[in-house]
mmCIF file of all heavy atoms in Angstrom:
data_model
loop_
_atom_site.group_PDB
_atom_site.id
_atom_site.type_symbol
_atom_site.label_atom_id
_atom_site.label_comp_id
_atom_site.label_asym_id
_atom_site.label_seq_id
_atom_site.Cartn_x
_atom_site.Cartn_y
_atom_site.Cartn_z
ATOM 1 N N VAL A 122 -12.834 -0.473 17.161
ATOM 2 C CA VAL A 122 -13.613 -1.222 18.144
ATOM 3 C C VAL A 122 -14.882 -0.462 18.527
ATOM 4 O O VAL A 122 -14.853 0.740 18.773
ATOM 5 C CB VAL A 122 -12.766 -1.483 19.406
ATOM 6 C CG1 VAL A 122 -13.599 -2.139 20.488
ATOM 7 C CG2 VAL A 122 -11.561 -2.347 19.052
ATOM 8 N N GLY A 123 -16.002 -1.185 18.578
ATOM 9 C CA GLY A 123 -17.262 -0.584 18.998
ATOM 10 C C GLY A 123 -18.330 -1.649 19.137
ATOM 11 O O GLY A 123 -18.097 -2.822 18.838
ATOM 12 N N PRO A 124 -19.532 -1.272 19.583
ATOM 13 C CA PRO A 124 -20.583 -2.255 19.843
ATOM 14 C C PRO A 124 -21.244 -2.784 18.572
ATOM 15 O O PRO A 124 -21.647 -2.017 17.707
ATOM 16 C CB PRO A 124 -21.589 -1.465 20.693
ATOM 17 C CG PRO A 124 -21.418 -0.051 20.248
ATOM 18 C CD PRO A 124 -19.965 0.100 19.918
ATOM 19 N N SER A 125 -21.357 -4.089 18.475
ATOM 20 C CA SER A 125 -22.127 -4.746 17.421
ATOM 21 C C SER A 125 -23.288 -5.469 18.081
ATOM 22 O O SER A 125 -23.075 -6.363 18.906
ATOM 23 C CB SER A 125 -21.259 -5.760 16.661
ATOM 24 O OG SER A 125 -22.059 -6.637 15.895
ATOM 25 N N SER A 126 -24.499 -5.090 17.750
ATOM 26 C CA SER A 126 -25.665 -5.713 18.385
ATOM 27 C C SER A 126 -25.702 -7.217 18.123
ATOM 28 O O SER A 126 -26.116 -7.992 18.985
ATOM 29 C CB SER A 126 -26.955 -5.058 17.895
ATOM 30 O OG SER A 126 -27.077 -5.173 16.487
ATOM 31 N N ILE A 127 -25.241 -7.630 16.956
ATOM 32 C CA ILE A 127 -25.252 -9.053 16.601
ATOM 33 C C ILE A 127 -24.317 -9.841 17.516
ATOM 34 O O ILE A 127 -24.696 -10.874 18.081
ATOM 35 C CB ILE A 127 -24.848 -9.236 15.126
ATOM 36 C CG1 ILE A 127 -25.851 -8.529 14.212
ATOM 37 C CG2 ILE A 127 -24.745 -10.711 14.763
ATOM 38 C CD1 ILE A 127 -25.350 -8.337 12.801
ATOM 39 N N ILE A 128 -23.095 -9.337 17.682
ATOM 40 C CA ILE A 128 -22.120 -10.033 18.520
ATOM 41 C C ILE A 128 -22.507 -9.968 19.994
ATOM 42 O O ILE A 128 -22.402 -10.959 20.725
ATOM 43 C CB ILE A 128 -20.711 -9.457 18.300
ATOM 44 C CG1 ILE A 128 -20.267 -9.679 16.846
ATOM 45 C CG2 ILE A 128 -19.716 -10.090 19.254
ATOM 46 C CD1 ILE A 128 -20.235 -11.135 16.413
ATOM 47 N N LEU A 129 -22.987 -8.807 20.458
ATOM 48 C CA LEU A 129 -23.405 -8.680 21.854
ATOM 49 C C LEU A 129 -24.540 -9.651 22.173
ATOM 50 O O LEU A 129 -24.557 -10.294 23.229
ATOM 51 C CB LEU A 129 -23.833 -7.247 22.152
ATOM 52 C CG LEU A 129 -22.724 -6.194 22.167
ATOM 53 C CD1 LEU A 129 -23.322 -4.798 22.292
ATOM 54 C CD2 LEU A 129 -21.740 -6.454 23.311
ATOM 55 N N ALA A 130 -25.510 -9.752 21.256
ATOM 56 C CA ALA A 130 -26.625 -10.674 21.464
ATOM 57 C C ALA A 130 -26.140 -12.118 21.478
ATOM 58 O O ALA A 130 -26.564 -12.919 22.317
ATOM 59 C CB ALA A 130 -27.679 -10.481 20.373
ATOM 60 N N MET A 131 -25.241 -12.450 20.564
ATOM 61 C CA MET A 131 -24.694 -13.809 20.515
ATOM 62 C C MET A 131 -23.948 -14.129 21.807
ATOM 63 O O MET A 131 -24.085 -15.212 22.380
ATOM 64 C CB MET A 131 -23.773 -13.930 19.298
ATOM 65 C CG MET A 131 -23.290 -15.333 18.982
ATOM 66 S SD MET A 131 -24.585 -16.454 18.461
ATOM 67 C CE MET A 131 -24.530 -17.648 19.776
ATOM 68 N N MET A 132 -23.173 -13.173 22.283
ATOM 69 C CA MET A 132 -22.436 -13.362 23.539
ATOM 70 C C MET A 132 -23.379 -13.644 24.704
ATOM 71 O O MET A 132 -23.095 -14.478 25.559
ATOM 72 C CB MET A 132 -21.616 -12.099 23.853
ATOM 73 C CG MET A 132 -20.420 -11.873 22.957
ATOM 74 S SD MET A 132 -19.767 -10.177 23.121
ATOM 75 C CE MET A 132 -19.378 -10.127 24.873
#
Side-chain angles (χ1 to χ4, degrees):
V122 174
S125 165
S126 59
I127 298 165
I128 297 301
L129 290 173
M131 189 66 243
M132 289 166 59

